[in-house]
Amino acid sequence: MSNYGKAFALMRDAAQGPWRDYTRHTFVEGMKDGTLPRAAFLHYLRQDYVFLIHFSRAWALAVVKSEIHSEMLTAVATVNALVAEEMQLHIGICEAAGISHEELFATPERAENLAYTRFVLEAGYSGDLLDLLAALAPCVMGYGEIGTRLASEATSEVYRDWINTYASDDYQGACEAVGELLDQALIRRIGENFAASPRWDRLCQTFRTATELEVNFWQMGLTP
């Protein structure tokens, strides 16, 4: 079982091919060895900033879909981490590269970005907290996995700031909290044996689709 919880480990196992394509994408490996062109990284970062705006809205929707206080607390903490910390990282790196905050906010949204963010929001609008969390989990935990791996495997310091952000104790703690939220939300709504539920396959399919959309997002990053 992963340190991000039982449900996440099961969902990841059910999406092994796409998960590998996502967490070991050429873009990721380029950050590991420093060969990723800076233009590609900045292009990705600008799109990711736009992505985080919608991702924050999706996590705010998790507050709406929560049934108990502890669920609301985790969702609120995640919104705060995204808006107050992760987006600030993007603003700082872009400003250092001569891209102003106004310019960053005005970044035109690529189709791959649009497809992914609206898929996640739609999962939340039309479903309950479980549908929403299944769509949110690949981004949260995938970056946690990538950050941890690159922190120990990176052979270049070029993208160390980015790597350190996702390998940090703060980010890893957020991944564990989301994993716990997912486990407890499933138990609360479906029961201890949630993987035997008729809903489980659909939740795994949502997780898999979101993972495939992550692969497309990295691919988009390579084409400024």
Side-chain angles (χ1 to χ4, degrees):
M1 192 173 88
S2 85
N3 57 343
Y4 302 157
K6 178 184 174 184
F8 166 70
L10 291 171
M11 286 179 171
R12 183 183 57 189
D13 287 348
Q16 279 180 17
W19 191 260
R20 187 177 55 250
D21 293 344
Y22 161 36
T23 57
R24 294 183 178 268
H25 193 276
T26 307
F27 192 101
V28 174
E29 299 309 295
M31 286 195 288
K32 183 176 92 171
D33 64 12
T35 58
L36 180 71
R38 196 69 185 172
F41 180 70
L42 289 172
H43 164 61
Y44 148 77
L45 211 63
R46 290 182 68 161
Q47 287 297 322
D48 200 47
Y49 178 81
V50 176
F51 171 86
L52 288 173
I53 292 170
H54 297 293
F55 204 61
S56 301
R57 288 172 178 152
W59 271 105
L61 185 58
V63 177
V64 178
K65 299 285 178 171
S66 293
E67 290 180 354
I68 52 174
H69 187 232
S70 61
E71 292 176 347
M72 296 180 87
L73 277 174
T74 302
V76 166
T78 308
V79 172
N80 185 61
L82 290 165
V83 176
E85 293 160 33
E86 200 175 345
M87 287 168 80
Q88 291 301 319
L89 167 82
H90 292 56
I91 292 165
I93 294 174
C94 286
E95 278 182 345
I99 301 162
S100 71
H101 190 189
E102 292 71 27
E103 211 181 329
L104 184 59
F105 193 77
T107 300
E109 195 171 8
R110 282 273 294 261
E112 298 90 338
N113 202 347
L114 198 73
Y116 188 9
T117 55
R118 299 325 185 270
F119 172 78
V120 174
L121 283 164
E122 169 57 24
Y125 289 140
S126 62
D128 65 0
L129 184 64
L130 298 182
D131 297 299
L132 179 56
L133 290 176
L136 288 166
C139 181
V140 178
M141 276 80 142
Y143 273 55
E145 262 194 27
I146 291 165
T148 302
R149 181 172 68 85
L150 297 195
S152 64
E153 292 182 6
T155 54
S156 163
E157 296 303 304
V158 177
Y159 296 106
R160 184 60 72 175
D161 281 358
W162 188 96
I163 294 166
N164 287 348
T165 298
Y166 297 103
S168 70
D169 289 346
D170 281 355
Y171 192 84
Q172 293 301 316
C175 290
E176 287 165 19
V178 171
E180 175 71 8
L181 172 64
L182 179 59
D183 283 350
Q184 294 307 316
L186 280 159
I187 292 166
R188 177 176 173 80
R189 289 160 180 79
I190 297 175
E192 290 279 354
N193 195 16
F194 53 76
S197 155
R199 282 197 66 189
W200 180 249
D201 282 350
R202 199 180 85 208
L203 292 169
C204 285
Q205 185 54 54
T206 297
F207 180 95
R208 184 189 185 95
T209 301
T211 302
E212 289 166 346
L213 290 164
E214 280 284 2
V215 177
N216 293 350
F217 203 93
W218 286 137
Q219 200 59 40
M220 171 201 67
L222 292 176
T223 54

PDB file of all heavy atoms in Angstrom, residues 147-175:
ATOM      1  N   GLY A 147       8.032  14.227  -7.604  1.00  0.00           N
ATOM      2  CA  GLY A 147       8.935  15.039  -6.787  1.00  0.00           C
ATOM      3  C   GLY A 147       9.862  14.181  -5.936  1.00  0.00           C
ATOM      4  O   GLY A 147      11.079  14.426  -5.884  1.00  0.00           O
ATOM      5  N   THR A 148       9.297  13.160  -5.291  1.00  0.00           N
ATOM      6  CA  THR A 148      10.089  12.260  -4.440  1.00  0.00           C
ATOM      7  C   THR A 148      11.163  11.535  -5.245  1.00  0.00           C
ATOM      8  O   THR A 148      12.326  11.461  -4.836  1.00  0.00           O
ATOM      9  CB  THR A 148       9.172  11.226  -3.754  1.00  0.00           C
ATOM     10  OG1 THR A 148       8.193  11.930  -2.980  1.00  0.00           O
ATOM     11  CG2 THR A 148       9.951  10.308  -2.837  1.00  0.00           C
ATOM     12  N   ARG A 149      10.760  11.017  -6.408  1.00  0.00           N
ATOM     13  CA  ARG A 149      11.707  10.265  -7.242  1.00  0.00           C
ATOM     14  C   ARG A 149      12.815  11.164  -7.775  1.00  0.00           C
ATOM     15  O   ARG A 149      13.999  10.824  -7.705  1.00  0.00           O
ATOM     16  CB  ARG A 149      10.978   9.572  -8.400  1.00  0.00           C
ATOM     17  CG  ARG A 149      11.897   8.743  -9.296  1.00  0.00           C
ATOM     18  CD  ARG A 149      11.118   7.922 -10.298  1.00  0.00           C
ATOM     19  NE  ARG A 149      10.456   8.724 -11.298  1.00  0.00           N
ATOM     20  CZ  ARG A 149      11.029   9.163 -12.426  1.00  0.00           C
ATOM     21  NH1 ARG A 149      12.299   8.883 -12.688  1.00  0.00           N
ATOM     22  NH2 ARG A 149      10.348   9.863 -13.312  1.00  0.00           N
ATOM     23  N   LEU A 150      12.440  12.324  -8.305  1.00  0.00           N
ATOM     24  CA  LEU A 150      13.450  13.212  -8.888  1.00  0.00           C
ATOM     25  C   LEU A 150      14.392  13.785  -7.826  1.00  0.00           C
ATOM     26  O   LEU A 150      15.559  14.055  -8.116  1.00  0.00           O
ATOM     27  CB  LEU A 150      12.792  14.350  -9.679  1.00  0.00           C
ATOM     28  CG  LEU A 150      11.961  13.975 -10.909  1.00  0.00           C
ATOM     29  CD1 LEU A 150      11.701  15.201 -11.773  1.00  0.00           C
ATOM     30  CD2 LEU A 150      12.603  12.883 -11.742  1.00  0.00           C
ATOM     31  N   ALA A 151      13.900  13.950  -6.605  1.00  0.00           N
ATOM     32  CA  ALA A 151      14.750  14.471  -5.531  1.00  0.00           C
ATOM     33  C   ALA A 151      15.956  13.566  -5.305  1.00  0.00           C
ATOM     34  O   ALA A 151      17.057  14.037  -5.000  1.00  0.00           O
ATOM     35  CB  ALA A 151      13.948  14.617  -4.243  1.00  0.00           C
ATOM     36  N   SER A 152      15.759  12.257  -5.489  1.00  0.00           N
ATOM     37  CA  SER A 152      16.871  11.319  -5.272  1.00  0.00           C
ATOM     38  C   SER A 152      17.595  10.952  -6.567  1.00  0.00           C
ATOM     39  O   SER A 152      18.762  10.577  -6.540  1.00  0.00           O
ATOM     40  CB  SER A 152      16.363  10.050  -4.590  1.00  0.00           C
ATOM     41  OG  SER A 152      15.446   9.366  -5.417  1.00  0.00           O
ATOM     42  N   GLU A 153      16.913  11.098  -7.723  1.00  0.00           N
ATOM     43  CA  GLU A 153      17.506  10.646  -8.991  1.00  0.00           C
ATOM     44  C   GLU A 153      18.072  11.769  -9.861  1.00  0.00           C
ATOM     45  O   GLU A 153      18.828  11.502 -10.804  1.00  0.00           O
ATOM     46  CB  GLU A 153      16.461   9.875  -9.827  1.00  0.00           C
ATOM     47  CG  GLU A 153      16.049   8.545  -9.234  1.00  0.00           C
ATOM     48  CD  GLU A 153      15.056   7.801 -10.120  1.00  0.00           C
ATOM     49  OE1 GLU A 153      14.779   8.266 -11.253  1.00  0.00           O
ATOM     50  OE2 GLU A 153      14.555   6.748  -9.687  1.00  0.00           O
ATOM     51  N   ALA A 154      17.707  13.032  -9.587  1.00  0.00           N
ATOM     52  CA  ALA A 154      18.108  14.140 -10.470  1.00  0.00           C
ATOM     53  C   ALA A 154      19.627  14.237 -10.583  1.00  0.00           C
ATOM     54  O   ALA A 154      20.338  14.158  -9.588  1.00  0.00           O
ATOM     55  CB  ALA A 154      17.528  15.456  -9.966  1.00  0.00           C
ATOM     56  N   THR A 155      20.093  14.394 -11.827  1.00  0.00           N
ATOM     57  CA  THR A 155      21.534  14.518 -12.088  1.00  0.00           C
ATOM     58  C   THR A 155      21.889  15.954 -12.471  1.00  0.00           C
ATOM     59  O   THR A 155      23.000  16.235 -12.900  1.00  0.00           O
ATOM     60  CB  THR A 155      21.957  13.566 -13.220  1.00  0.00           C
ATOM     61  OG1 THR A 155      21.129  13.817 -14.366  1.00  0.00           O
ATOM     62  CG2 THR A 155      21.791  12.115 -12.797  1.00  0.00           C
ATOM     63  N   SER A 156      20.904  16.854 -12.341  1.00  0.00           N
ATOM     64  CA  SER A 156      21.100  18.259 -12.694  1.00  0.00           C
ATOM     65  C   SER A 156      20.410  19.140 -11.662  1.00  0.00           C
ATOM     66  O   SER A 156      19.423  18.723 -11.050  1.00  0.00           O
ATOM     67  CB  SER A 156      20.510  18.523 -14.081  1.00  0.00           C
ATOM     68  OG  SER A 156      20.325  19.911 -14.303  1.00  0.00           O
ATOM     69  N   GLU A 157      20.938  20.351 -11.494  1.00  0.00           N
ATOM     70  CA  GLU A 157      20.339  21.299 -10.543  1.00  0.00           C
ATOM     71  C   GLU A 157      19.402  22.300 -11.238  1.00  0.00           C
ATOM     72  O   GLU A 157      18.811  23.152 -10.572  1.00  0.00           O
ATOM     73  CB  GLU A 157      21.450  22.071  -9.815  1.00  0.00           C
ATOM     74  CG  GLU A 157      22.344  21.203  -8.947  1.00  0.00           C
ATOM     75  CD  GLU A 157      21.563  20.426  -7.888  1.00  0.00           C
ATOM     76  OE1 GLU A 157      20.844  21.061  -7.095  1.00  0.00           O
ATOM     77  OE2 GLU A 157      21.670  19.182  -7.867  1.00  0.00           O
ATOM     78  N   VAL A 158      19.276  22.192 -12.572  1.00  0.00           N
ATOM     79  CA  VAL A 158      18.528  23.187 -13.356  1.00  0.00           C
ATOM     80  C   VAL A 158      17.089  23.364 -12.856  1.00  0.00           C
ATOM     81  O   VAL A 158      16.605  24.485 -12.724  1.00  0.00           O
ATOM     82  CB  VAL A 158      18.528  22.807 -14.858  1.00  0.00           C
ATOM     83  CG1 VAL A 158      17.687  23.801 -15.666  1.00  0.00           C
ATOM     84  CG2 VAL A 158      19.954  22.793 -15.404  1.00  0.00           C
ATOM     85  N   TYR A 159      16.420  22.263 -12.555  1.00  0.00           N
ATOM     86  CA  TYR A 159      15.013  22.329 -12.147  1.00  0.00           C
ATOM     87  C   TYR A 159      14.820  21.958 -10.678  1.00  0.00           C
ATOM     88  O   TYR A 159      13.757  21.506 -10.278  1.00  0.00           O
ATOM     89  CB  TYR A 159      14.159  21.450 -13.078  1.00  0.00           C
ATOM     90  CG  TYR A 159      14.175  21.977 -14.492  1.00  0.00           C
ATOM     91  CD1 TYR A 159      14.904  21.329 -15.497  1.00  0.00           C
ATOM     92  CD2 TYR A 159      13.509  23.155 -14.823  1.00  0.00           C
ATOM     93  CE1 TYR A 159      14.951  21.847 -16.787  1.00  0.00           C
ATOM     94  CE2 TYR A 159      13.550  23.679 -16.109  1.00  0.00           C
ATOM     95  CZ  TYR A 159      14.269  23.022 -17.091  1.00  0.00           C
ATOM     96  OH  TYR A 159      14.310  23.530 -18.363  1.00  0.00           O
ATOM     97  N   ARG A 160      15.867  22.170  -9.892  1.00  0.00           N
ATOM     98  CA  ARG A 160      15.848  21.764  -8.478  1.00  0.00           C
ATOM     99  C   ARG A 160      14.758  22.488  -7.684  1.00  0.00           C
ATOM    100  O   ARG A 160      14.140  21.887  -6.811  1.00  0.00           O
ATOM    101  CB  ARG A 160      17.224  22.010  -7.859  1.00  0.00           C
ATOM    102  CG  ARG A 160      17.379  21.545  -6.434  1.00  0.00           C
ATOM    103  CD  ARG A 160      17.154  20.058  -6.247  1.00  0.00           C
ATOM    104  NE  ARG A 160      18.222  19.233  -6.787  1.00  0.00           N
ATOM    105  CZ  ARG A 160      18.265  17.904  -6.636  1.00  0.00           C
ATOM    106  NH1 ARG A 160      17.303  17.282  -5.977  1.00  0.00           N
ATOM    107  NH2 ARG A 160      19.246  17.205  -7.174  1.00  0.00           N
ATOM    108  N   ASP A 161      14.485  23.756  -7.978  1.00  0.00           N
ATOM    109  CA  ASP A 161      13.429  24.493  -7.260  1.00  0.00           C
ATOM    110  C   ASP A 161      12.078  23.794  -7.421  1.00  0.00           C
ATOM    111  O   ASP A 161      11.336  23.633  -6.455  1.00  0.00           O
ATOM    112  CB  ASP A 161      13.302  25.930  -7.788  1.00  0.00           C
ATOM    113  CG  ASP A 161      14.377  26.838  -7.224  1.00  0.00           C
ATOM    114  OD1 ASP A 161      15.184  26.351  -6.402  1.00  0.00           O
ATOM    115  OD2 ASP A 161      14.418  28.018  -7.612  1.00  0.00           O
ATOM    116  N   TRP A 162      11.783  23.428  -8.664  1.00  0.00           N
ATOM    117  CA  TRP A 162      10.511  22.747  -8.951  1.00  0.00           C
ATOM    118  C   TRP A 162      10.475  21.402  -8.224  1.00  0.00           C
ATOM    119  O   TRP A 162       9.489  21.076  -7.551  1.00  0.00           O
ATOM    120  CB  TRP A 162      10.370  22.545 -10.475  1.00  0.00           C
ATOM    121  CG  TRP A 162       9.023  22.025 -10.893  1.00  0.00           C
ATOM    122  CD1 TRP A 162       7.958  22.762 -11.326  1.00  0.00           C
ATOM    123  CD2 TRP A 162       8.601  20.650 -10.926  1.00  0.00           C
ATOM    124  NE1 TRP A 162       6.898  21.928 -11.622  1.00  0.00           N
ATOM    125  CE2 TRP A 162       7.264  20.638 -11.383  1.00  0.00           C
ATOM    126  CE3 TRP A 162       9.210  19.437 -10.611  1.00  0.00           C
ATOM    127  CZ2 TRP A 162       6.527  19.456 -11.531  1.00  0.00           C
ATOM    128  CZ3 TRP A 162       8.483  18.260 -10.750  1.00  0.00           C
ATOM    129  CH2 TRP A 162       7.153  18.262 -11.207  1.00  0.00           C
ATOM    130  N   ILE A 163      11.544  20.630  -8.352  1.00  0.00           N
ATOM    131  CA  ILE A 163      11.620  19.304  -7.727  1.00  0.00           C
ATOM    132  C   ILE A 163      11.444  19.407  -6.211  1.00  0.00           C
ATOM    133  O   ILE A 163      10.651  18.666  -5.610  1.00  0.00           O
ATOM    134  CB  ILE A 163      12.955  18.605  -8.075  1.00  0.00           C
ATOM    135  CG1 ILE A 163      13.016  18.284  -9.580  1.00  0.00           C
ATOM    136  CG2 ILE A 163      13.145  17.334  -7.243  1.00  0.00           C
ATOM    137  CD1 ILE A 163      14.415  17.912 -10.087  1.00  0.00           C
ATOM    138  N   ASN A 164      12.152  20.345  -5.602  1.00  0.00           N
ATOM    139  CA  ASN A 164      12.096  20.499  -4.142  1.00  0.00           C
ATOM    140  C   ASN A 164      10.705  20.864  -3.636  1.00  0.00           C
ATOM    141  O   ASN A 164      10.311  20.476  -2.538  1.00  0.00           O
ATOM    142  CB  ASN A 164      13.110  21.545  -3.669  1.00  0.00           C
ATOM    143  CG  ASN A 164      14.539  21.043  -3.747  1.00  0.00           C
ATOM    144  OD1 ASN A 164      14.785  19.853  -3.938  1.00  0.00           O
ATOM    145  ND2 ASN A 164      15.496  21.949  -3.613  1.00  0.00           N
ATOM    146  N   THR A 165       9.968  21.621  -4.442  1.00  0.00           N
ATOM    147  CA  THR A 165       8.603  22.003  -4.056  1.00  0.00           C
ATOM    148  C   THR A 165       7.743  20.766  -3.842  1.00  0.00           C
ATOM    149  O   THR A 165       7.012  20.658  -2.856  1.00  0.00           O
ATOM    150  CB  THR A 165       7.964  22.907  -5.135  1.00  0.00           C
ATOM    151  OG1 THR A 165       8.726  24.105  -5.246  1.00  0.00           O
ATOM    152  CG2 THR A 165       6.522  23.249  -4.798  1.00  0.00           C
ATOM    153  N   TYR A 166       7.830  19.815  -4.787  1.00  0.00           N
ATOM    154  CA  TYR A 166       6.958  18.637  -4.733  1.00  0.00           C
ATOM    155  C   TYR A 166       7.533  17.490  -3.896  1.00  0.00           C
ATOM    156  O   TYR A 166       6.808  16.577  -3.514  1.00  0.00           O
ATOM    157  CB  TYR A 166       6.611  18.188  -6.158  1.00  0.00           C
ATOM    158  CG  TYR A 166       5.836  19.269  -6.880  1.00  0.00           C
ATOM    159  CD1 TYR A 166       6.439  20.093  -7.842  1.00  0.00           C
ATOM    160  CD2 TYR A 166       4.520  19.543  -6.542  1.00  0.00           C
ATOM    161  CE1 TYR A 166       5.746  21.123  -8.453  1.00  0.00           C
ATOM    162  CE2 TYR A 166       3.813  20.568  -7.149  1.00  0.00           C
ATOM    163  CZ  TYR A 166       4.430  21.354  -8.098  1.00  0.00           C
ATOM    164  OH  TYR A 166       3.728  22.392  -8.686  1.00  0.00           O
ATOM    165  N   ALA A 167       8.820  17.578  -3.588  1.00  0.00           N
ATOM    166  CA  ALA A 167       9.441  16.582  -2.708  1.00  0.00           C
ATOM    167  C   ALA A 167       9.380  17.030  -1.244  1.00  0.00           C
ATOM    168  O   ALA A 167       9.674  16.241  -0.339  1.00  0.00           O
ATOM    169  CB  ALA A 167      10.894  16.356  -3.112  1.00  0.00           C
ATOM    170  N   SER A 168       8.975  18.285  -1.016  1.00  0.00           N
ATOM    171  CA  SER A 168       9.007  18.858   0.330  1.00  0.00           C
ATOM    172  C   SER A 168       8.077  18.143   1.297  1.00  0.00           C
ATOM    173  O   SER A 168       7.085  17.527   0.896  1.00  0.00           O
ATOM    174  CB  SER A 168       8.619  20.340   0.272  1.00  0.00           C
ATOM    175  OG  SER A 168       7.237  20.477  -0.036  1.00  0.00           O
ATOM    176  N   ASP A 169       8.389  18.248   2.577  1.00  0.00           N
ATOM    177  CA  ASP A 169       7.540  17.661   3.623  1.00  0.00           C
ATOM    178  C   ASP A 169       6.128  18.235   3.558  1.00  0.00           C
ATOM    179  O   ASP A 169       5.149  17.508   3.763  1.00  0.00           O
ATOM    180  CB  ASP A 169       8.136  17.934   5.007  1.00  0.00           C
ATOM    181  CG  ASP A 169       9.410  17.132   5.262  1.00  0.00           C
ATOM    182  OD1 ASP A 169       9.678  16.178   4.493  1.00  0.00           O
ATOM    183  OD2 ASP A 169      10.133  17.457   6.216  1.00  0.00           O
ATOM    184  N   ASP A 170       6.017  19.522   3.264  1.00  0.00           N
ATOM    185  CA  ASP A 170       4.696  20.163   3.179  1.00  0.00           C
ATOM    186  C   ASP A 170       3.852  19.525   2.083  1.00  0.00           C
ATOM    187  O   ASP A 170       2.686  19.188   2.301  1.00  0.00           O
ATOM    188  CB  ASP A 170       4.831  21.664   2.889  1.00  0.00           C
ATOM    189  CG  ASP A 170       5.197  22.465   4.127  1.00  0.00           C
ATOM    190  OD1 ASP A 170       5.243  21.862   5.220  1.00  0.00           O
ATOM    191  OD2 ASP A 170       5.455  23.677   4.004  1.00  0.00           O
ATOM    192  N   TYR A 171       4.453  19.367   0.896  1.00  0.00           N
ATOM    193  CA  TYR A 171       3.679  18.800  -0.218  1.00  0.00           C
ATOM    194  C   TYR A 171       3.366  17.321   0.027  1.00  0.00           C
ATOM    195  O   TYR A 171       2.252  16.863  -0.229  1.00  0.00           O
ATOM    196  CB  TYR A 171       4.405  18.980  -1.562  1.00  0.00           C
ATOM    197  CG  TYR A 171       3.472  18.650  -2.710  1.00  0.00           C
ATOM    198  CD1 TYR A 171       2.584  19.609  -3.198  1.00  0.00           C
ATOM    199  CD2 TYR A 171       3.422  17.366  -3.255  1.00  0.00           C
ATOM    200  CE1 TYR A 171       1.673  19.297  -4.200  1.00  0.00           C
ATOM    201  CE2 TYR A 171       2.523  17.046  -4.256  1.00  0.00           C
ATOM    202  CZ  TYR A 171       1.650  18.013  -4.727  1.00  0.00           C
ATOM    203  OH  TYR A 171       0.738  17.699  -5.702  1.00  0.00           O
ATOM    204  N   GLN A 172       4.332  16.583   0.544  1.00  0.00           N
ATOM    205  CA  GLN A 172       4.108  15.171   0.843  1.00  0.00           C
ATOM    206  C   GLN A 172       3.009  15.007   1.895  1.00  0.00           C
ATOM    207  O   GLN A 172       2.187  14.094   1.813  1.00  0.00           O
ATOM    208  CB  GLN A 172       5.415  14.504   1.293  1.00  0.00           C
ATOM    209  CG  GLN A 172       6.473  14.407   0.196  1.00  0.00           C
ATOM    210  CD  GLN A 172       6.011  13.615  -1.018  1.00  0.00           C
ATOM    211  OE1 GLN A 172       5.404  12.559  -0.882  1.00  0.00           O
ATOM    212  NE2 GLN A 172       6.306  14.124  -2.206  1.00  0.00           N
ATOM    213  N   GLY A 173       2.998  15.920   2.851  1.00  0.00           N
ATOM    214  CA  GLY A 173       1.942  15.898   3.873  1.00  0.00           C
ATOM    215  C   GLY A 173       0.574  16.138   3.261  1.00  0.00           C
ATOM    216  O   GLY A 173      -0.423  15.510   3.656  1.00  0.00           O
ATOM    217  N   ALA A 174       0.525  17.031   2.268  1.00  0.00           N
ATOM    218  CA  ALA A 174      -0.734  17.307   1.570  1.00  0.00           C
ATOM    219  C   ALA A 174      -1.211  16.068   0.817  1.00  0.00           C
ATOM    220  O   ALA A 174      -2.411  15.748   0.819  1.00  0.00           O
ATOM    221  CB  ALA A 174      -0.556  18.477   0.607  1.00  0.00           C
ATOM    222  N   CYS A 175      -0.282  15.353   0.187  1.00  0.00           N
ATOM    223  CA  CYS A 175      -0.629  14.115  -0.536  1.00  0.00           C
ATOM    224  C   CYS A 175      -1.207  13.073   0.425  1.00  0.00           C
ATOM    225  O   CYS A 175      -2.198  12.403   0.110  1.00  0.00           O
ATOM    226  CB  CYS A 175       0.598  13.528  -1.228  1.00  0.00           C
ATOM    227  SG  CYS A 175       1.198  14.489  -2.616  1.00  0.00           S
TER     228      CYS A 175
END
